[in-house]
Amino acid sequence: MAAIDTIRYTRAELLGVGPSGRQGYVRRLVRTVRSLASRIDSQLDRRRSRLALLEMTDDQLKDIGISRCEAHREGLRRFWD
């Protein structure tokens, strides 16, 4: 059993966490940061696609069924909107 406990504590120390129970806190923090990064990434993707609408020609917009006015309105929206 002592070898298993040693391995567990060594792994925790590598994560910057001691055997004092902070491991749960670190996991929650990592999960929160990843979630925030994922949200920002999706918002930036949405912004890029809206900017791409502004660069499309009238024929391209017609192919996807959007008028120039609709594309302009969508392209000017804020990225968090």
Side-chain angles (χ1 to χ4, degrees):
M1 253 342 213
I4 293 172
D5 290 336
T6 303
I7 292 169
R8 184 181 308 139
Y9 291 140
T10 303
R11 182 172 177 257
E13 290 169 3
L14 288 175
L15 292 173
V17 179
S20 63
R22 288 187 164 191
Q23 192 169 9
Y25 171 76
V26 172
R27 284 183 182 171
R28 285 192 310 266
L29 181 63
V30 168
R31 191 179 329 133
T32 301
V33 169
R34 283 183 181 165
S35 174
L36 181 61
S38 175
R39 273 189 124 159
I40 291 171
D41 187 47
S42 67
Q43 288 176 344
L44 290 175
D45 282 341
R46 187 179 308 138
R47 181 64 182 150
R48 279 186 223 106
S49 64
R50 286 178 177 167
L51 289 175
L53 282 174
L54 293 175
E55 296 175 0
M56 288 184 173
T57 65
D58 289 332
D59 290 334
Q60 291 171 328
L61 291 172
K62 185 179 176 184
D63 286 343
I64 61 173
I66 297 177
S67 69
R68 171 65 58 194
C69 181
E70 291 170 334
H72 185 71
R73 190 177 321 125
E74 186 68 23
L76 294 179
R77 289 177 66 182
R78 294 177 191 96
F79 70 90
W80 60 82
D81 197 17

